[in-house]
Amino acid sequence: MERAYDLVIRGGRVVDGSGGESFEADVAVSDGLIAAVGEVAATGAEEIDARGRIVTPGFVDIHTHYDGQATWASICSPRRGTGSPPW
């Protein structure tokens, strides 16, 4: 059976950053992009059981240690290629 997605994260509590309530859902990923959020019937080449876990699809990792730079610089230097916003 052919896999429809590269990855399916099953049954996690999704917090999507929209400000809305969290909800239980599956998250499917294809070619590095979120392809579906909700009840995903198709299978993935890799599957993760996320029941009892929080899933945050699409979040950018802002753990950059800019807190230190912000104390001595008037602006923070961009960190291109890290997925971090340039603030």
Side-chain angles (χ1 to χ4, degrees), residues 1-36:
M1 177 177 179
E2 185 177 335
R3 308 293 183 180
Y5 299 105
D6 299 326
L7 171 67
V8 179
I9 303 168
R10 300 266 181 208
R13 173 122 325 253
V14 173
V15 179
D16 64 10
S18 68
E21 294 292 320
S22 64
F23 55 96
E24 189 173 301
D26 304 329
V27 177
V29 178
S30 288
D31 296 323
L33 300 173
I34 297 168

Side-chain angles (χ1 to χ4, degrees), residues 35-47:
V37 177
E39 187 174 330
V40 175
T43 59
E46 180 181 358
E47 300 228 354

Side-chain angles (χ1 to χ4, degrees), residues 40 45 62 78-79 86:
V40 175
I62 60 168
R79 294 182 59 155

Side-chain angles (χ1 to χ4, degrees), residues 59-78:
F59 271 33
V60 174
D61 180 5
I62 60 168
H63 183 147
T64 61
H65 297 278
Y66 280 143
D67 51 335
Q69 184 179 359
T71 64
W72 70 77
S74 60
I75 61 171
C76 294
S77 307

